[in-house]
Amino acid sequence: MPAWITQKDLELPINYRSAAQRTAERGFHTSFVHRASDDFYEVLGVKKDASAPEIKKAYYQLAKKYHPDANKDPGAKDKFLKIQEAYDTLSDASKRQSYDQYGSADPMEGMGGGPGAGFSGFGGMDDILSQMFGGAFSGRGGHGHGFTSQGEDIEASITLSFMEAVNGVQKTITITPVVHCEPCGGQGAKKGAKRKTCRTCRGTGQAMFKMGGFHVQQPCPECSGEGSSISSKDKCSACQGRGRVRERKTVPIDIPAGCDSGMRVKISDMGDVPADGHGPAGDLYVKVRVLPSKTFRRKGSDIYYDLQVPLTTAILGGTLRVPTVDGDVEVNIKPGVQPGDELRLRTKGVRKVNSTGRGDQYLNLNVKLPTELTSKQRELVEQLDAELTGKPRSDPAKESTESTESTDGSEQGTKEKDGFFSRIKKDFENFKKHDDK
């Protein structure tokens, strides 16, 4: 049993049947059924306590002697199959232990019903094992369905700028996949030389061995699944007879708009060809890495931008020019916006991959405060502060003068008040123009 297959893999649930039902189905009594084949130790001509190297040595000697291609005796083929079955069992520690204990490499086989008995209601063991191991099993002793080798997938990476990922771009990457050797056409032989049919698999490229009553089909170990071999002197010098080489290729790749870091772009059939046998090449997967932008931040298909709003625009409102991934746009700012407020520009984000939809752009408003003020600007701010908070002005003389003027009459006071706010608005507008410059 290969290392990748454990006895547990074959432990499937079975339907319960009574002893009478099992007897009726088998057509014979329920006592222990001994194997019809000869003792495996006697087949190989070794003792029961023989070591693994002794078993291997005996097997090679007998296999060479009774191989059907070397021995034309009518009974050589059956003898060779018995030798192969004995070695398959005794060369595997777990199967040998089971054989020593139950007289069979498969404990279920010695309990009656033959291989696969009791596995009813599941479409048969052939179907179950075919689903588990890709159709390489046959429970009736015949040839399995076989399988096609698949080349390995390969990976590469590519780095894009922020705007290249947003808009999509065509790039080229360099890869070195395994390909068929061009001078020998993947055959591994020099021009004019001929490959010899493998004597082990007789050109099929597949070898069969028995596992617990089931025949397992795998690539022939002698020819690596090729079905033929070639002598050393006739090997292709370019690939040393392997029929495979690594080739440097430049591959164009279309990056779709909206691609983001971590995404992978698949290019079919651009991976390695199968190392053994024949079959389609694997695929190429290109992992994308996107450099950050100095202007924007991205979350999925949405774009985020920090908009600096002048103090006067935050108070009085106005229009600001804002960058987007499609170019600059004019945005209206309402009077009285606060630091941290957020504006949303619909469909100004990134295009969604494999979709016609787009994300949005979000503007995070940061109110920009002046760091230095002229004396006039400071006076205006102090006047505004006094009006908004009701606090007295810092200059008592001016406050006294304004108080006296405001008591001269209601009409004069109202006129003075209107003039003050008009002056404040005018001065702030001038201050805004100066600040914008």
Side-chain angles (χ1 to χ4, degrees), residues 57-291:
K57 181 179 180 181
Y59 164 70
Y60 281 132
Q61 291 175 346
L62 293 172
K64 184 177 181 181
K65 179 180 179 181
Y66 289 100
H67 195 283
D69 290 342
N71 192 326
K72 302 303 180 182
D73 187 87
K77 182 177 180 180
D78 292 338
K79 181 68 175 178
F80 179 77
L81 292 176
K82 288 183 180 181
I83 293 170
Q84 183 69 43
E85 182 180 9
Y87 179 70
D88 288 342
T89 299
L90 300 184
S91 62
D92 185 280
S94 60
K95 290 169 66 176
R96 183 178 180 181
Q97 181 181 2
S98 179
Y99 177 79
D100 291 340
Q101 185 175 357
Y102 300 104
S104 167
D106 182 5
M108 294 297 294
E109 187 173 339
M111 300 302 173
F119 289 84
S120 61
F122 291 91
M125 282 300 293
D126 287 352
D127 294 338
I128 295 172
L129 294 178
S130 294
Q131 292 176 9
M132 292 171 61
F133 301 105
F137 285 81
S138 175
R140 298 182 177 86
H143 293 289
H145 300 292
F147 59 90
T148 302
S149 298
Q150 172 72 42
E152 294 291 332
D153 296 334
I154 61 175
E155 286 192 353
S157 60
I158 190 171
T159 301
L160 307 176
S161 69
F162 185 86
M163 292 307 298
E164 283 177 336
V166 169
N167 297 321
V169 67
Q170 185 179 72
K171 291 277 190 177
T172 58
I173 59 173
T174 301
I175 57 175
T176 54
V178 175
V179 299
H180 292 107
C181 177
E182 187 173 345
C184 66
Q187 298 300 313
K190 293 180 180 178
K191 189 174 182 180
K194 294 183 179 181
R195 300 180 67 94
K196 296 180 181 179
T197 302
C198 177
R199 296 173 60 184
T200 302
C201 66
R202 299 184 182 182
T204 64
Q206 306 296 321
M208 303 285 292
F209 69 90
K210 195 171 182 180
M211 183 189 72
F214 297 93
H215 287 80
V216 182
Q217 180 175 279
Q218 287 187 327
C220 175
E222 184 68 25
C223 63
S224 299
E226 292 289 344
S228 59
S229 58
I230 189 170
S231 61
S232 300
K233 65 178 182 178
D234 290 332
K235 288 183 178 179
C236 172
S237 59
C239 63
Q240 304 301 318
R242 291 187 293 269
R244 309 288 188 273
V245 294
R246 286 199 176 274
E247 183 179 76
R248 188 179 182 87
K249 290 184 177 182
T250 299
V251 180
I253 173 174
D254 292 320
I255 304 296
C259 203
D260 203 358
S261 287
M263 291 184 177
R264 296 198 309 171
V265 179
K266 176 183 175 182
I267 305 179
S268 300
D269 302 324
M270 290 301 294
D272 293 342
V273 299
D276 299 316
H278 304 279
D283 300 324
L284 168 63
Y285 289 90
V286 181
K287 189 173 183 179
V288 176
R289 175 176 175 264
V290 180
L291 297 175

Side-chain angles (χ1 to χ4, degrees), residues 184-393:
C184 66
Q187 298 300 313
K190 293 180 180 178
K191 189 174 182 180
K194 294 183 179 181
R195 300 180 67 94
K196 296 180 181 179
T197 302
C198 177
R199 296 173 60 184
T200 302
C201 66
R202 299 184 182 182
T204 64
Q206 306 296 321
M208 303 285 292
F209 69 90
K210 195 171 182 180
M211 183 189 72
F214 297 93
H215 287 80
V216 182
Q217 180 175 279
Q218 287 187 327
C220 175
E222 184 68 25
C223 63
S224 299
E226 292 289 344
S228 59
S229 58
I230 189 170
S231 61
S232 300
K233 65 178 182 178
D234 290 332
K235 288 183 178 179
C236 172
S237 59
C239 63
Q240 304 301 318
R242 291 187 293 269
R244 309 288 188 273
V245 294
R246 286 199 176 274
E247 183 179 76
R248 188 179 182 87
K249 290 184 177 182
T250 299
V251 180
I253 173 174
D254 292 320
I255 304 296
C259 203
D260 203 358
S261 287
M263 291 184 177
R264 296 198 309 171
V265 179
K266 176 183 175 182
I267 305 179
S268 300
D269 302 324
M270 290 301 294
D272 293 342
V273 299
D276 299 316
H278 304 279
D283 300 324
L284 168 63
Y285 289 90
V286 181
K287 189 173 183 179
V288 176
R289 175 176 175 264
V290 180
L291 297 175
S293 169
K294 295 181 179 179
T295 305
F296 304 107
R297 298 188 309 278
R298 178 179 175 181
K299 292 182 181 179
S301 59
D302 293 330
I303 294 292
Y304 292 80
Y305 175 74
D306 293 328
L307 179 60
Q308 303 297 325
V309 181
L311 173 63
T312 51
T313 304
I315 296 174
L316 302 174
T319 301
L320 295 178
R321 197 165 185 81
V322 177
T324 71
V325 294
D326 297 321
D328 292 353
V329 296
E330 296 286 342
V331 176
N332 292 323
I333 305 297
K334 295 181 179 180
V337 296
Q338 301 296 315
D341 283 357
E342 191 175 73
L343 299 181
R344 179 182 181 184
L345 306 180
R346 294 184 181 275
T347 68
K348 289 298 181 181
V350 181
R351 186 179 302 279
K352 298 178 181 179
V353 178
N354 298 326
S355 172
T356 57
R358 294 187 60 165
D360 302 322
Q361 178 167 330
Y362 293 88
L363 305 179
N364 182 38
L365 305 186
N366 295 324
V367 178
K368 183 180 179 182
L369 301 177
T371 56
E372 294 182 359
L373 297 175
T374 64
S375 57
K376 182 177 181 180
Q377 291 170 347
R378 184 177 183 84
E379 180 183 353
L380 291 172
V381 173
E382 288 177 349
Q383 292 178 17
L384 177 62
D385 178 63
E387 288 297 323
L388 295 176
T389 64
K391 294 180 180 180
R393 298 262 325 267

Side-chain angles (χ1 to χ4, degrees), residues 18-74:
S18 67
Q21 289 174 320
R22 294 197 299 271
T23 302
E25 291 180 11
R26 289 198 303 266
F28 53 86
H29 59 80
T30 59
S31 61
F32 184 83
V33 179
H34 291 277
R35 293 182 58 90
S37 61
D38 297 330
D39 183 275
F40 285 165
Y41 292 100
E42 293 180 0
V43 171
L44 295 180
V46 296
K47 298 179 181 180
K48 289 192 175 183
D49 58 352
S51 63
E54 291 174 338
I55 293 174
K56 186 175 182 179
K57 181 179 180 181
Y59 164 70
Y60 281 132
Q61 291 175 346
L62 293 172
K64 184 177 181 181
K65 179 180 179 181
Y66 289 100
H67 195 283
D69 290 342
N71 192 326
K72 302 303 180 182
D73 187 87

